[in-house]
């Protein structure tokens, strides 16, 4: 996928809500933005009620003024379509546009995102509004990007109202054609759930006990599609009126209800919002989400659309980022493929639920505050990184990730009902992260030929042809690492027959006869030659069918049974991990596999130092982020010439010191 450069520089700015302030503050804002090197702001995100104060009456005067002031100060606009919250007048006309929860309770107006995606009048009003905004601003030189809606589904990811019930039936009819097919796919002979007529089917509202899991899974799909259709409707209008302006909507990365791989096919550039808790220190999950977001469009650089300068308002205790950390984490994001660092929000709100959320400018508007100073310094630094815009990352390792699998594996009534898909994926990711090994995420059906190693944690669902894809990958010389409880069900959550994991038994050279979950707080041992490791959570009872045991269980009634196996298949091999081993085991296993494929980090560095390499056609950049509080010394390869981009210094020696909580960006001239 080709690069989308919103600006020729790293985008820098944030959400801007000028309607919360009197006009004189707009001038002050624009000046402060200019001083801070801000070049892009997201405007109008919650402005539907202000832009269309009454149905069909539009007021652009205030927004014209705002955008002109911004433009005069060199600030471009990521213009929102303002559809994130329906106005009070809309709710008064259509009270049934308010969403209904699984218990039948209708939610109220008074916060935000209070709409049912399937309300028949919603889409009509959205289209009118979006057309009016796009017509009005299509030729404005400040317009650089469209910000559609905002964090779709962040509060209301599901509605169970009558409009949704009707739309669900239509969606099912399109998917299954006949009621017999639906009965078959959903396995409705279980508990006498057979349907004779589409009208008998409802959303999975509150039921006496476990709802049909296939119905629940399809409701995930249906709600994702319902909300996606709202996006597509807006996109169509924007594309028609402004064919050259990139269109995006901000994702939330590990947000379960929306299948972002599907969404990413329809945005021009991925943008996402990230709020790691400073109390947790090293943001491994943030790194993982950066890699996931970059992978959604096959490595195309993305924008970090929202992060906070200091602290949020929505945790129990909202600890600020200490000095330097906002900058540090911004570079960590750039290292993983971001071409933009943006914030929520520009100026701290005076009123409303987010008035104690941090911002680039505080309530006081003080230019000398720590936060604004850091904002300004970062803005100036980033303006020196134009050369990095569009640079890509090359990864030889991929982790398989699939939203539908996530939905299915966390449905109720499993052998173990506390499995977290994200946590198990992260367990494997962390070992690559710690070793600075570049990693992409991919869907199980994607082309895997550019990878040497593919990791499949908890890939419970294997859909049609995905098994063939994995066969091909291993046959052609790849190494597949697969965890327990993989390859168990089809796309409807029906068990694949033929012994677990039926479709993958030949690649893995084994059969899983029985699942033995391990109770919380308990563990078993993994024995590998003379070494012992801990394992928790799960123990597969494996029957070898060609694979060899790499590790056996050490305790309990299954002591001595194979726990981790390896099997050669075609030119490649597969490693099956029938339990949840401690990190040390995963790390050692990965090190062996990486060494076999000659996969190395860009530099050897001490712990808690991130190094990522980004490539343009003629240059290579190393982004080095020291998360330690102390200085570290690095050794650069002797045969290369680097330039420190931020200081301009040429590095002839091979030793480099990176200060504690500091960053170095090196450019290597390939010529
Ligand atoms: C989300 C929203 C913003 C704001 C921030 C607060 O990211 O998109 O409007 O509410 O959270 O952290
Ligand atoms: C009860 C019910 C059965 C079955 C079992 C499962 O005993 O009568 O239909 O659901 O629970 O444990």
């Amino acid at each position: 996928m080709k690069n989308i450069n919103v600006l020729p520089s790293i985008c820098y700015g944030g959400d801007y809500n000028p309607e919360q302030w009197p006009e004189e503050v707009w001038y002050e804002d624009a000046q402060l933005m200019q001083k801070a090197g801000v070049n892009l702001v997201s405007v109008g995100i919650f402005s539907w009620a202000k832009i269309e104060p009454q149905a069909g009456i539009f007021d652009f005067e205030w927004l014209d003024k705002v955008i002109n002031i911004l433009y005069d100060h060199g600030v471009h606009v990521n213009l929102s379509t303002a559809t994130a919250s329906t106005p009070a007048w809309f709710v008064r006309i259509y009270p049934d546009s308010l969403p209904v929860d699984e218990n039948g309770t209708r939610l109220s107006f008074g916060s935000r995102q209070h709409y049912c995606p399937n309300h028949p009048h919603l889409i009509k009003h959205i289209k009118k509004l979006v057309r009016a905004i796009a017509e009005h601003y299509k030729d404005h030189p400040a317009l650089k990007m469209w910000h559609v809606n905002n964090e779709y589904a962040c509060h209301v990811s599901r509605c169970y109202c009558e409009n949704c019930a009707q739309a669900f039936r239509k969606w099912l009819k399109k998917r299954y054609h006949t009621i017999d097919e639906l009965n078959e796919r959903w396995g409705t002979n279980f508990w006498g759930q057979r349907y004779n007529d589409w009208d008998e089917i409802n959303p999975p509202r509150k039921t006496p006990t476990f709802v049909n899991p296939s119905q629940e899974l399809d409701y995930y799909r249906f709600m994702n599609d319902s909300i996606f259709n709202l996006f597509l409707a807006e996109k169509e209008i924007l594309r028609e009126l402004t064919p050259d302006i990139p269109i995006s909507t901000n994702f939330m990365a590990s947000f379960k209800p929306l299948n972002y791989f599907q969404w990413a096919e329809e945005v021009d550039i991925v943008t996402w919002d990230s709020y790691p808790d400073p109390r947790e220190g090293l943001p491994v999950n943030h790194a993982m989400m950066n890699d996931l977001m970059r992978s959604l469009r096959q490595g195309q650089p993305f924008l970090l659309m929202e992060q906070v300068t200091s602290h949020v308002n929505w945790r129990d205790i909202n600890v600020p980022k200490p000095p330097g950390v906002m900058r540090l984490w911004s570079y960590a994001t750039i290292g993983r493929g971001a071409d933009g660092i943006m914030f929520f929000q520009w100026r701290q709100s005076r009123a409303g639920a987010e008035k104690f959320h941090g911002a680039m400018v505080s309530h006081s508007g003080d230019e000398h505050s720590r936060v604004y100073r850091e904002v300004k310094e970062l803005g100036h630094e980033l303006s020196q990184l134009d050369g990095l815009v569009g640079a890509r990352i090359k990864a030889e390792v991929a982790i398989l990730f699939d939203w539908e699998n996530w939905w299915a594996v966390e449905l109720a009534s499993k052998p173990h009902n506390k499995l977290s898909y994200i946590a198990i994926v992260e367990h494997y990711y962390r070992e690559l992260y710690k070793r600075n090994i570049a990693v992409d995420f991919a869907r199980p059906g994607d082309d895997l030929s550019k990878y040497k190693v593919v990791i499949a944690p908890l890939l419970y669902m294997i859909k049609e042809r995905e098994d063939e894809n994995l066969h091909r990958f291993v046959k052609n010389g790849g190494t597949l690492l697969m965890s327990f409880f993989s390859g168990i069900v089809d796309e409807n959550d029906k068990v694949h027959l033929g012994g677990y994991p039926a479709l993958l038994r030949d690649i893995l050279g084994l059969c899983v006869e029985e699942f033995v979950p391990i109770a919380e707080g308990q563990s078993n041992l993994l024995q590998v030659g003379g070494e012992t490791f801990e394992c928790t959570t799960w123990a597969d009872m494996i029957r070898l069918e060609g694979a060899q045991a790499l590790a056996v269980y050490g305790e309990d009634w299954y002591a001595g049974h194979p726990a981790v196996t390896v099997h050669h298949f075609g030119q490649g091999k597969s490693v099956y991990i029938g339990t949840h081993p401690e990190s040390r085991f995963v790390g050692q296993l990965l090190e062996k596999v990486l060494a076999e494929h000659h996969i190395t980090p860009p530099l050897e560095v001490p712990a808690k130092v991130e190094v990522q390499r980004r490539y343009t056609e003629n240059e290579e950049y190393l982004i080095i982020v020291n998360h330690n509080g102390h200085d570290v010394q690095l050794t650069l390869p002797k045969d290369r010439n680097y330039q420190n981009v931020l200081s301009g210094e040429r590095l002839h020696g091979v030793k480099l010191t990176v200060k504690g909580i500091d960053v170095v960006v090196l450019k290597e001239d390939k010529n």
Side-chain angles (χ1 to χ4, degrees):
M1 282 182 187
K2 69 175 187 2
N3 283 345
I4 299 288
N5 298 342
V6 176
L7 296 175
S9 314
I10 300 279
C11 296
Y12 191 62
D15 281 24
Y16 182 39
N17 297 303
E19 65 270 47
Q20 296 175 11
W21 296 94
E23 212 176 306
E24 59 270 20
V25 179
W26 303 349
Y27 291 95
E28 192 185 310
D29 281 333
Q31 282 161 11
L32 287 173
M33 284 178 194
Q34 199 169 31
K35 280 190 197 167
V38 166
N39 55 23
L40 186 73
V41 291
S42 312
V43 188
I45 294 179
F46 295 99
S47 305
W48 189 342
K50 184 98 176 138
I51 292 173
E52 191 180 0
Q54 292 173 50
I57 312 280
F58 293 94
D59 171 14
F60 288 111
E61 212 185 303
W62 67 278
L63 192 53
D64 288 349
K65 217 177 252 178
V66 168
I67 293 179
N68 290 334
I69 294 170
L70 291 170
Y71 189 63
D72 288 345
H73 288 80
V75 179
H76 295 96
V77 168
N78 171 33
L79 187 57
S80 171
T81 56
T83 51
S85 264
T86 47
W89 59 255
F90 181 86
V91 176
R92 182 146 82 169
I93 304 174
Y94 308 111
D96 65 336
S97 69
L98 292 167
V100 172
D101 72 10
E102 60 166 354
N103 299 309
T105 306
R106 206 176 271 287
L107 307 184
S108 299
F109 182 86
S111 65
R112 64 176 176 182
Q113 207 179 72
H114 39 257
Y115 58 80
C116 158
N118 288 304
H119 191 272
H121 290 281
L122 175 71
I123 191 123
K124 281 197 238 163
H125 282 270
I126 284 177
K127 284 183 181 173
K128 243 200 213 159
L129 172 70
V130 174
R131 186 167 287 280
I133 294 175
E135 289 277 11
H136 192 85
Y137 291 107
K138 65 181 177 4
D139 299 318
H140 201 295
L143 176 65
K144 288 292 170 194
M145 182 168 173
W146 286 112
H147 185 290
V148 174
N149 199 285
N150 187 63
E151 292 192 342
Y152 272 110
C154 70
H155 310 296
V156 180
S157 60
R158 279 190 169 197
C159 174
Y160 296 81
C161 76
E162 223 14 69
N163 287 321
C164 287
Q166 279 178 32
F168 186 39
R169 290 171 201 139
K170 245 168 105 179
W171 184 93
L172 289 168
K173 243 186 246 179
K174 202 167 154 207
R175 189 175 173 93
Y176 299 119
H177 309 290
T178 67
I179 198 82
D180 286 345
E181 180 68 11
L182 176 132
N183 280 312
E184 178 56 33
R185 299 287 202 104
W186 281 16
T188 56
N189 282 334
F190 179 83
W191 283 352
Q193 290 164 358
R194 259 197 109 66
Y195 297 104
N196 293 313
D197 190 286
W198 298 101
D199 287 340
E200 292 167 358
I201 304 172
N202 280 309
R205 294 175 180 137
K206 187 92 185 139
T207 48
T209 180
F210 304 114
V211 76
N212 182 324
S214 310
Q215 178 184 1
E216 181 70 21
L217 180 60
D218 271 346
Y219 212 64
Y220 268 109
R221 293 189 174 109
F222 161 71
M223 267 298 147
N224 169 70
D225 287 356
S226 300
I227 298 164
F228 190 43
N229 285 338
L230 294 179
F231 170 78
L232 293 177
E234 292 201 29
K235 181 189 166 182
E236 197 184 332
I237 296 166
L238 299 173
R239 186 59 93 233
E240 175 202 325
L241 295 175
T242 57
D244 300 323
I245 301 290
I247 300 169
S248 191
T249 179
N250 46 345
F251 295 163
M252 292 162 283
S254 61
F255 181 67
K256 188 174 167 185
L258 301 185
N259 181 349
Y260 286 142
F261 269 115
Q262 176 191 338
W263 284 65
E265 287 173 7
E266 293 291 338
V267 299
D268 295 322
I269 178 170
V270 168
T271 63
W272 80 284
D273 303 343
S274 175
Y275 293 93
D277 190 342
R279 288 180 295 189
E280 285 166 18
L282 194 66
V284 180
N285 181 267
H286 171 73
M288 175 163 119
M289 292 305 125
N290 276 321
D291 286 336
L292 176 61
M293 293 294 99
R294 184 193 67 247
S295 302
L296 294 178
R297 284 180 63 78
Q298 285 87 59
Q300 184 199 71
F302 60 90
L303 306 184
L304 184 67
M305 186 52 78
E306 288 182 26
Q307 65 169 348
V308 70
T309 51
S310 53
H311 56 86
V312 297
N313 65 299
W314 41 261
R315 292 199 170 97
D316 54 353
I317 299 171
N318 299 293
V319 170
K321 290 175 185 167
V325 168
M326 178 263 281
R327 170 174 178 262
L328 199 72
W329 293 1
S330 298
Y331 278 99
T333 304
I334 289 174
R336 288 176 192 276
D339 276 357
I341 295 295
M342 313 269 291
F343 297 86
F344 178 85
Q345 63 176 329
W346 167 252
R347 184 183 283 268
Q348 235 181 341
S349 303
R350 185 172 181 195
E354 290 182 327
K355 57 182 171 295
F356 294 115
H357 192 290
M360 299 168 86
V361 174
S362 65
H363 286 141
S364 68
D366 183 1
E367 271 190 63
H368 306 289
S369 69
R370 167 182 80 90
V371 169
Y372 181 76
R373 274 189 285 119
E374 287 193 27
V375 163
K376 206 162 103 178
E377 278 161 25
L378 181 59
H380 287 285
E381 275 187 11
L382 296 184
S383 70
Q384 299 169 55
L385 296 181
D386 292 3
L388 196 58
V389 173
R392 300 260 177 161
I393 287 168
K394 286 180 201 153
E396 295 175 307
V397 180
I399 296 179
L400 299 185
F401 193 91
D402 181 18
W403 260 266
E404 299 201 335
N405 175 61
W406 187 1
W407 298 335
V409 76
E410 291 183 1
L411 290 173
S413 1
K414 295 290 197 310
H416 190 307
N417 289 303
K418 290 192 169 173
L419 294 179
S420 154
Y421 183 46
I422 292 289
I424 289 180
V425 170
E426 195 174 312
H427 190 64
Y428 287 87
Y429 177 86
R430 186 178 299 115
E431 297 311 305
L432 296 164
Y433 172 85
K434 283 201 283 205
R435 290 165 178 77
N436 284 308
I437 301 298
V439 52
D440 284 346
F441 286 85
R443 284 171 289 193
D446 285 344
D447 177 11
L448 302 173
S449 58
K450 66 175 164 182
Y451 303 112
K452 295 176 174 165
V453 177
V454 164
I455 306 173
L458 209 59
L459 191 61
Y460 165 70
M461 176 186 282
I462 287 279
K463 301 188 280 286
E464 231 178 295
R465 285 194 291 277
E466 288 175 351
D467 55 316
E468 292 162 26
N469 200 37
L470 296 182
H471 272 87
R472 200 173 313 122
F473 171 73
V474 180
K475 215 174 228 164
N476 291 339
T479 298
L480 172 70
L481 271 87
M482 179 166 263
S483 91
F484 67 91
F485 211 34
S486 291
I488 307 299
V489 297
D490 69 7
E491 65 177 65
N492 289 103
D493 199 37
K494 284 174 82 167
V495 172
H496 286 298
L497 299 181
Y500 315 127
L503 305 176
L504 306 173
R505 265 173 71 182
D506 55 344
I507 321 183
L508 301 172
L510 54 75
C511 177
V512 174
E513 289 187 357
E514 208 178 327
F515 308 132
V516 182
I518 299 174
E520 274 184 307
Q522 296 191 5
S523 60
N524 202 321
L525 295 176
L526 280 179
Q527 289 179 335
V528 191
E531 261 196 289
T532 309
F533 301 85
E534 193 184 57
C535 63
T536 58
T537 315
W538 189 283
D540 273 328
M541 295 303 109
I542 295 170
R543 188 172 70 215
L544 300 176
E545 292 176 340
Q548 292 163 306
L550 286 179
V552 297
Y553 296 108
E555 290 179 345
D556 218 328
W557 58 268
Y558 47 91
H561 283 247
V564 180
T565 64
V566 61
H567 184 235
H568 295 270
F569 183 80
Q571 312 277 319
K573 65 178 183 182
S574 51
V575 176
Y576 184 76
I577 305 153
T579 181
H580 190 59
E582 64 170 298
S583 302
R584 195 167 54 95
F585 179 89
V586 176
Q588 288 186 15
L589 178 65
L590 277 169
E591 273 178 12
K592 263 187 220 140
V593 171
L594 295 172
E596 283 165 11
H597 287 281
H598 312 289
I599 300 172
T600 54
L603 278 182
E604 291 294 340
V605 293
K608 291 187 168 186
V609 178
E610 263 186 88
V611 189
Q612 294 296 311
R613 184 186 270 142
R614 287 182 68 177
Y615 302 81
T616 62
E617 219 174 299
N618 300 311
E619 287 159 349
E620 261 182 56
Y621 288 84
L622 289 181
I623 297 104
I624 306 169
V625 177
N626 181 11
H627 293 276
N628 296 289
H630 55 265
D631 298 4
V632 295
Q633 275 241 324
L634 312 182
T635 309
L636 299 173
K638 287 197 186 86
D639 52 340
R640 306 208 169 189
N641 289 317
Y642 292 103
Q643 188 191 352
N644 181 328
V645 182
L646 298 177
S647 70
E649 183 191 2
R650 297 217 166 256
L651 295 167
H652 300 297
V654 292
K655 291 272 184 233
L656 171 70
T657 302
V658 186
K659 293 204 192 96
I661 314 292
D662 199 5
V663 173
V664 171
V665 180
L666 297 179
K667 180 167 85 173
E668 189 197 350
D669 247 318
K670 287 200 213 149
N671 308 316

